[in-house]
C-alpha cells in the first residue's frame, strides 16, 4: 500500500494534476542540482576553470624563451592623448564558446580572442611561446623570429618592453580596437585584429603596441607589468643655496 503508483502519464483531476506536475518538476530540479547538471552550475564551473590563476615565467636574464608562459598586454594609450581617448591596458584573451567548452571541458580549436581589461594571469589569458622552426624549449626568442602562441596544457627576446607582433603571412601588426567592443560571460571586452595603424609620422600607433609580460619573482601570481616603478634617487642632486655675501649697505 505504501508503494507510489503515480507517474506523469496518469490522468488526474485538473486541480490535483497541476500539483503533481509541480512536484515532479521540483524533484527533477533537486536531482539535477545534486548531480551538478543545472545550467547555472555549469556556467559557474566554466568561469572558475578559466579564471584559475596561473604563474608566469620568471626569468633572471630578462629574456623571453620558448616554452615560457606569458601574458600579451597592450599597455593602453599614451598619457599625452586627450582624456576622451585614453585607453586602459588590455590582455589578449581567449574568447571561448561556452557550449563547446561545457561539452568537452577543454579549449577546442579554432578559438576566438578578445581584449580584456582583466590583466591578472589566469588560464584564459596565459599563453606559451612555441617554436615553429625547431628551436628547443628554453632557447631565447630572437627579434624577428617567428613563433606561435598556444594555450596551456589541460584546460586550456624582448621581455616586458613594447614590441610589434606581425602576422607572418600578411605582415600586418596585431591590434586591439577600443571602439569595437562586445559583451562576454566575463564582461565587456574588445575586438582583436591584425592591422597596422599609422600616425601622421608613419609610426605605428599604440593600438599596435604589445608587451610580452613575465612573472614578478617576488609576488605570487604577479607580473612585472603590474609592479610599481622603482623609487629612484634624484639623478641631479639639489644644489645648496649659494653662500655668497649679502649685499652691502653703504653707510654714510
Amino acid at each position: 500500500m505504501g508503494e507510489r503508483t503515480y507517474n506523469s502519464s496518469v490522468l488526474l483531476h485538473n486541480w490535483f494534476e497541476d500539483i503533481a506536475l509541480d512536484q515532479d518538476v521540483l524533484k527533477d530540479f533537486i536531482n539535477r542540482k545534486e548531480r551538478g547538471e543545472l545550467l547555472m552550475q555549469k556556467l559557474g564551473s566554466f568561469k572558475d576553470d578559466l579564471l584559475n590563476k596561473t604563474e608566469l615565467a620568471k626569468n633572471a636574464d630578462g629574456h623571453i624563451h620558448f616554452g615560457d608562459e606569458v601574458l600579451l598586454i597592450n599597455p593602453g594609450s599614451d598619457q599625452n592623448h586627450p582624456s576622451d581617448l585614453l585607453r586602459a591596458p588590455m590582455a589578449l584573451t581567449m574568447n571561448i564558446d561556452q557550449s563547446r567548452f561545457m561539452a568537452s571541458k577543454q579549449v577546442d580549436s579554432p578559438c576566438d580572442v578578445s581584449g580584456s581589461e582583466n590583466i591578472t594571469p589566469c588560464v584564459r589569458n596565459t599563453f606559451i611561446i612555441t617554436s615553429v622552426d625547431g628551436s628547443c624549449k628554453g632557447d631565447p626568442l630572437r627579434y624577428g623570429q617567428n613563433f606561435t602562441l598556444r594555450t596551456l596544457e589541460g584546460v586550456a627576446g624582448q621581455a616586458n618592453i613594447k614590441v610589434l607582433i606581425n602576422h607572418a603571412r600578411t605582415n600586418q601588426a596585431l591590434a586591439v580596437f577600443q571602439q569595437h567592443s562586445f559583451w562576454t560571460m566575463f564582461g565587456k571586452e574588445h575586438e582583436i585584429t591584425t592591422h597596422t595603424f599609422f600616425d601622421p609620422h608613419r609610426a605605428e600607433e599604440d593600438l599596435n603596441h604589445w608587451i610580452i609580460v613575465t612573472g614578478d619573482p617576488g609576488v605570487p601570481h604577479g607580473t612585472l607589468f603590474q609592479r610599481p616603478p622603482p623609487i629612484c634617487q634624484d639623478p641631479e642632486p639639489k644644489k645648496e643655496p649659494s653662500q655668497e655675501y649679502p649685499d652691502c649697505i653703504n653707510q654714510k
Side-chain angles (χ1 to χ4, degrees):
M1 295 294 294
E3 182 180 355
R4 183 176 181 183
T5 59
Y6 167 77
N7 60 60
S8 57
S9 63
V10 177
L11 297 178
L12 302 171
H13 293 295
N14 291 340
W15 61 273
F16 188 68
E17 183 178 354
D18 291 341
I19 296 176
L21 289 175
D22 288 342
Q23 290 176 343
D24 274 359
V25 170
L26 179 59
K27 182 180 178 181
D28 178 65
F29 173 83
I30 294 174
N31 289 337
R32 292 176 59 197
K33 181 180 179 182
E34 292 175 349
R35 296 193 298 267
E37 296 177 352
L38 296 179
L39 179 60
M40 183 189 312
Q41 293 172 308
K42 291 181 178 179
L43 292 178
S45 176
F46 164 77
K47 295 183 69 173
D48 291 342
D49 289 342
L50 296 175
L51 293 178
N52 280 335
K53 292 183 178 180
T54 57
E55 287 288 357
L56 304 181
K58 299 176 180 180
N59 301 323
D61 61 5
H63 297 296
I64 289 292
H65 306 83
F66 289 106
D68 282 356
E69 297 180 4
V70 300
L71 299 187
L72 204 58
I73 292 181
N74 178 282
S77 52
D78 296 331
Q79 294 301 315
N80 56 3
H81 279 59
S83 59
D84 59 336
L85 295 179
L86 291 178
R87 187 180 70 260
M90 297 182 196
L92 184 73
T93 302
M94 292 184 290
N95 184 20
I96 301 166
D97 183 86
Q98 302 166 26
S99 58
R100 290 172 59 193
F101 181 83
M102 288 189 292
S104 62
K105 289 298 181 183
Q106 64 181 9
V107 179
D108 295 326
S109 181
C111 177
D112 294 337
V113 291
S114 57
S116 172
E117 294 184 13
N118 177 17
I119 59 175
T120 300
C122 64
V123 172
R124 192 168 172 245
N125 60 17
T126 302
F127 297 92
I128 302 175
I129 302 292
T130 307
S131 169
V132 295
D133 59 9
S135 297
C136 296
K137 183 177 180 180
D139 287 349
L141 176 65
R142 306 296 183 184
Y143 180 79
Q145 188 174 7
N146 290 342
F147 68 95
T148 62
L149 295 174
R150 67 178 177 87
T151 57
L152 299 178
E153 299 289 345
V155 173
Q158 297 97 12
N160 303 298
I161 63 172
K162 293 180 182 180
V163 296
L164 299 176
I165 298 179
N166 283 5
H167 186 249
R169 294 192 178 275
T170 64
N171 200 34
Q172 292 293 309
L174 189 68
V176 59
F177 280 145
Q178 178 180 10
Q179 61 269 44
H180 298 294
S181 60
F182 53 91
W183 289 94
T184 71
M185 279 290 298
F186 302 91
K188 185 179 180 181
E189 297 188 344
H190 300 264
E191 185 177 337
I192 298 292
T193 187
T194 51
H195 182 81
T196 307
F197 294 89
F198 293 103
D199 64 17
H201 304 286
R202 296 296 295 171
E204 292 83 359
E205 294 187 357
D206 53 31
L207 293 170
N208 294 121
H209 296 171
W210 296 89
I211 299 176
I212 302 177
V213 177
T214 55
D216 185 346
V219 180
H221 311 294
T223 71
L224 292 180
F225 182 80
Q226 295 168 305
R227 187 173 67 175
I231 301 176
C232 301
Q233 296 181 350
D234 191 348
E236 295 185 3
K238 296 180 179 179
K239 296 180 180 179
E240 296 293 334
S242 60
Q243 300 297 323
E244 297 177 354
Y245 292 105
D247 294 339
C248 296
I249 301 176
N250 293 328
Q251 297 182 359
K252 297 181 179 179

